[in-house]
Amino acid sequence: MAILKVARLGHPVLREPALELSPEEIRSPPVRKLVEDMHATMIEYGGVGLAAPQVHESVRLAVIEFSGENERYRVDEAQPLWVVFNPRVTVLDEQTEGFWEGCLSVPGLRGWVERPRKIRVDYLDANGEPREQIAEGFLATVCQHEFDHLDGVLYVDRIADPTRLAFLEEYARYHASE
Ligand code: NI
């Protein structure tokens, strides 16, 4: 396994729409290796999700995983490793929920983003098989954040109130209790 270099805000790869992968491509050794390396990279940097464009691979793949003990986010429930190819999101509840989001491609910052609180994800799993999963709350937000990366969208694009974008230190000092 390898720790991959993470593209940062300003790198064009983060703004390109990523390409779908076929089930055959998903099962291929290079893509399996990419999934392993993305998982290792996400763990190394303490992320809760990572999308392939963030490691300079413009394909529709994201990995999501978090425990209740994540260093960067306070989360109540755990999400075991979830590998998602070619996701399609259907909003099940238009009601939004807000979180202070961060991104390994936008280091050192947090911003308040509101997104639909309940979604269905139709996707291909790590074996290229079609699946669906319902996601709510924090997991729904992580999904939408990661899948936005596949369309070249970053969470900073979705901050409705620019006064709610902060460096981590100021976030912790002035906003963490909100
Ligand atoms: Ni991100």
Side-chain angles (χ1 to χ4, degrees), residues 123-137:
Y123 66 103
L124 299 182
D125 69 13
N127 293 314
E129 301 290 338
R131 305 268 177 206
E132 67 168 68
Q133 180 162 328
I134 309 293
E136 293 183 68

PDB file of all heavy atoms in Angstrom, residues 123-137:
ATOM      1  N   TYR A 123     -25.161   2.664  -6.616  1.00  0.00           N
ATOM      2  CA  TYR A 123     -23.734   2.660  -6.941  1.00  0.00           C
ATOM      3  C   TYR A 123     -23.283   1.254  -7.305  1.00  0.00           C
ATOM      4  O   TYR A 123     -24.060   0.300  -7.200  1.00  0.00           O
ATOM      5  CB  TYR A 123     -22.923   3.182  -5.745  1.00  0.00           C
ATOM      6  CG  TYR A 123     -22.964   2.285  -4.524  1.00  0.00           C
ATOM      7  CD1 TYR A 123     -21.874   1.462  -4.212  1.00  0.00           C
ATOM      8  CD2 TYR A 123     -24.082   2.232  -3.683  1.00  0.00           C
ATOM      9  CE1 TYR A 123     -21.901   0.622  -3.107  1.00  0.00           C
ATOM     10  CE2 TYR A 123     -24.110   1.402  -2.582  1.00  0.00           C
ATOM     11  CZ  TYR A 123     -23.021   0.598  -2.285  1.00  0.00           C
ATOM     12  OH  TYR A 123     -23.053  -0.241  -1.202  1.00  0.00           O
ATOM     13  N   LEU A 124     -22.032   1.141  -7.703  1.00  0.00           N
ATOM     14  CA  LEU A 124     -21.410  -0.176  -7.884  1.00  0.00           C
ATOM     15  C   LEU A 124     -20.428  -0.388  -6.744  1.00  0.00           C
ATOM     16  O   LEU A 124     -19.687   0.526  -6.374  1.00  0.00           O
ATOM     17  CB  LEU A 124     -20.682  -0.249  -9.232  1.00  0.00           C
ATOM     18  CG  LEU A 124     -21.545  -0.053 -10.490  1.00  0.00           C
ATOM     19  CD1 LEU A 124     -20.688  -0.212 -11.754  1.00  0.00           C
ATOM     20  CD2 LEU A 124     -22.724  -1.024 -10.524  1.00  0.00           C
ATOM     21  N   ASP A 125     -20.436  -1.604  -6.187  1.00  0.00           N
ATOM     22  CA  ASP A 125     -19.521  -1.889  -5.083  1.00  0.00           C
ATOM     23  C   ASP A 125     -18.137  -2.294  -5.620  1.00  0.00           C
ATOM     24  O   ASP A 125     -17.878  -2.240  -6.836  1.00  0.00           O
ATOM     25  CB  ASP A 125     -20.121  -2.937  -4.135  1.00  0.00           C
ATOM     26  CG  ASP A 125     -20.212  -4.332  -4.750  1.00  0.00           C
ATOM     27  OD1 ASP A 125     -19.597  -4.566  -5.822  1.00  0.00           O
ATOM     28  OD2 ASP A 125     -20.892  -5.183  -4.158  1.00  0.00           O
ATOM     29  N   ALA A 126     -17.250  -2.708  -4.717  1.00  0.00           N
ATOM     30  CA  ALA A 126     -15.861  -2.983  -5.084  1.00  0.00           C
ATOM     31  C   ALA A 126     -15.730  -4.165  -6.047  1.00  0.00           C
ATOM     32  O   ALA A 126     -14.674  -4.371  -6.649  1.00  0.00           O
ATOM     33  CB  ALA A 126     -15.028  -3.219  -3.831  1.00  0.00           C
ATOM     34  N   ASN A 127     -16.820  -4.956  -6.195  1.00  0.00           N
ATOM     35  CA  ASN A 127     -16.812  -6.041  -7.176  1.00  0.00           C
ATOM     36  C   ASN A 127     -17.566  -5.680  -8.452  1.00  0.00           C
ATOM     37  O   ASN A 127     -17.805  -6.541  -9.301  1.00  0.00           O
ATOM     38  CB  ASN A 127     -17.411  -7.307  -6.556  1.00  0.00           C
ATOM     39  CG  ASN A 127     -16.524  -7.841  -5.444  1.00  0.00           C
ATOM     40  OD1 ASN A 127     -15.303  -7.937  -5.606  1.00  0.00           O
ATOM     41  ND2 ASN A 127     -17.123  -8.144  -4.307  1.00  0.00           N
ATOM     42  N   GLY A 128     -17.989  -4.423  -8.531  1.00  0.00           N
ATOM     43  CA  GLY A 128     -18.712  -3.977  -9.729  1.00  0.00           C
ATOM     44  C   GLY A 128     -20.190  -4.337  -9.715  1.00  0.00           C
ATOM     45  O   GLY A 128     -20.862  -4.226 -10.732  1.00  0.00           O
ATOM     46  N   GLU A 129     -20.691  -4.772  -8.541  1.00  0.00           N
ATOM     47  CA  GLU A 129     -22.103  -5.165  -8.430  1.00  0.00           C
ATOM     48  C   GLU A 129     -22.956  -3.961  -8.055  1.00  0.00           C
ATOM     49  O   GLU A 129     -22.562  -3.167  -7.194  1.00  0.00           O
ATOM     50  CB  GLU A 129     -22.274  -6.228  -7.323  1.00  0.00           C
ATOM     51  CG  GLU A 129     -21.481  -7.495  -7.529  1.00  0.00           C
ATOM     52  CD  GLU A 129     -22.001  -8.338  -8.681  1.00  0.00           C
ATOM     53  OE1 GLU A 129     -23.193  -8.174  -9.047  1.00  0.00           O
ATOM     54  OE2 GLU A 129     -21.222  -9.126  -9.228  1.00  0.00           O
ATOM     55  N   PRO A 130     -24.156  -3.834  -8.660  1.00  0.00           N
ATOM     56  CA  PRO A 130     -25.035  -2.723  -8.287  1.00  0.00           C
ATOM     57  C   PRO A 130     -25.599  -2.865  -6.874  1.00  0.00           C
ATOM     58  O   PRO A 130     -25.981  -3.970  -6.468  1.00  0.00           O
ATOM     59  CB  PRO A 130     -26.161  -2.792  -9.335  1.00  0.00           C
ATOM     60  CG  PRO A 130     -26.047  -4.100 -10.003  1.00  0.00           C
ATOM     61  CD  PRO A 130     -24.693  -4.674  -9.738  1.00  0.00           C
ATOM     62  N   ARG A 131     -25.613  -1.771  -6.159  1.00  0.00           N
ATOM     63  CA  ARG A 131     -26.100  -1.747  -4.771  1.00  0.00           C
ATOM     64  C   ARG A 131     -26.852  -0.448  -4.541  1.00  0.00           C
ATOM     65  O   ARG A 131     -26.680   0.513  -5.299  1.00  0.00           O
ATOM     66  CB  ARG A 131     -24.937  -1.745  -3.771  1.00  0.00           C
ATOM     67  CG  ARG A 131     -23.961  -2.857  -3.914  1.00  0.00           C
ATOM     68  CD  ARG A 131     -24.351  -4.030  -3.046  1.00  0.00           C
ATOM     69  NE  ARG A 131     -23.418  -5.124  -3.269  1.00  0.00           N
ATOM     70  CZ  ARG A 131     -23.740  -6.393  -3.083  1.00  0.00           C
ATOM     71  NH1 ARG A 131     -24.947  -6.718  -2.658  1.00  0.00           N
ATOM     72  NH2 ARG A 131     -22.865  -7.336  -3.304  1.00  0.00           N
ATOM     73  N   GLU A 132     -27.609  -0.432  -3.456  1.00  0.00           N
ATOM     74  CA  GLU A 132     -28.170   0.847  -3.004  1.00  0.00           C
ATOM     75  C   GLU A 132     -28.072   0.925  -1.497  1.00  0.00           C
ATOM     76  O   GLU A 132     -28.067  -0.098  -0.803  1.00  0.00           O
ATOM     77  CB  GLU A 132     -29.619   1.026  -3.470  1.00  0.00           C
ATOM     78  CG  GLU A 132     -30.615   0.094  -2.855  1.00  0.00           C
ATOM     79  CD  GLU A 132     -32.045   0.552  -3.168  1.00  0.00           C
ATOM     80  OE1 GLU A 132     -32.436   0.487  -4.340  1.00  0.00           O
ATOM     81  OE2 GLU A 132     -32.756   0.953  -2.226  1.00  0.00           O
ATOM     82  N   GLN A 133     -27.929   2.131  -1.001  1.00  0.00           N
ATOM     83  CA  GLN A 133     -27.867   2.334   0.449  1.00  0.00           C
ATOM     84  C   GLN A 133     -28.527   3.663   0.791  1.00  0.00           C
ATOM     85  O   GLN A 133     -28.368   4.649   0.064  1.00  0.00           O
ATOM     86  CB  GLN A 133     -26.413   2.320   0.941  1.00  0.00           C
ATOM     87  CG  GLN A 133     -26.327   2.531   2.454  1.00  0.00           C
ATOM     88  CD  GLN A 133     -25.005   2.104   3.065  1.00  0.00           C
ATOM     89  OE1 GLN A 133     -24.359   1.177   2.607  1.00  0.00           O
ATOM     90  NE2 GLN A 133     -24.602   2.810   4.120  1.00  0.00           N
ATOM     91  N   ILE A 134     -29.233   3.659   1.908  1.00  0.00           N
ATOM     92  CA  ILE A 134     -29.811   4.891   2.437  1.00  0.00           C
ATOM     93  C   ILE A 134     -28.782   5.515   3.375  1.00  0.00           C
ATOM     94  O   ILE A 134     -28.154   4.816   4.167  1.00  0.00           O
ATOM     95  CB  ILE A 134     -31.105   4.599   3.234  1.00  0.00           C
ATOM     96  CG1 ILE A 134     -32.083   3.746   2.425  1.00  0.00           C
ATOM     97  CG2 ILE A 134     -31.741   5.897   3.730  1.00  0.00           C
ATOM     98  CD1 ILE A 134     -32.682   4.414   1.220  1.00  0.00           C
ATOM     99  N   ALA A 135     -28.596   6.821   3.273  1.00  0.00           N
ATOM    100  CA  ALA A 135     -27.666   7.519   4.170  1.00  0.00           C
ATOM    101  C   ALA A 135     -28.392   8.715   4.789  1.00  0.00           C
ATOM    102  O   ALA A 135     -29.104   9.449   4.102  1.00  0.00           O
ATOM    103  CB  ALA A 135     -26.426   7.986   3.407  1.00  0.00           C
ATOM    104  N   GLU A 136     -28.192   8.880   6.095  1.00  0.00           N
ATOM    105  CA  GLU A 136     -28.823   9.986   6.824  1.00  0.00           C
ATOM    106  C   GLU A 136     -27.787  10.725   7.647  1.00  0.00           C
ATOM    107  O   GLU A 136     -26.753  10.160   8.008  1.00  0.00           O
ATOM    108  CB  GLU A 136     -29.869   9.439   7.805  1.00  0.00           C
ATOM    109  CG  GLU A 136     -31.072   8.807   7.161  1.00  0.00           C
ATOM    110  CD  GLU A 136     -32.085   8.351   8.209  1.00  0.00           C
ATOM    111  OE1 GLU A 136     -32.679   9.225   8.872  1.00  0.00           O
ATOM    112  OE2 GLU A 136     -32.256   7.124   8.357  1.00  0.00           O
ATOM    113  N   GLY A 137     -28.099  11.974   7.974  1.00  0.00           N
ATOM    114  CA  GLY A 137     -27.293  12.741   8.917  1.00  0.00           C
ATOM    115  C   GLY A 137     -25.861  12.930   8.445  1.00  0.00           C
ATOM    116  O   GLY A 137     -25.616  13.275   7.280  1.00  0.00           O
TER     117      GLY A 137
END
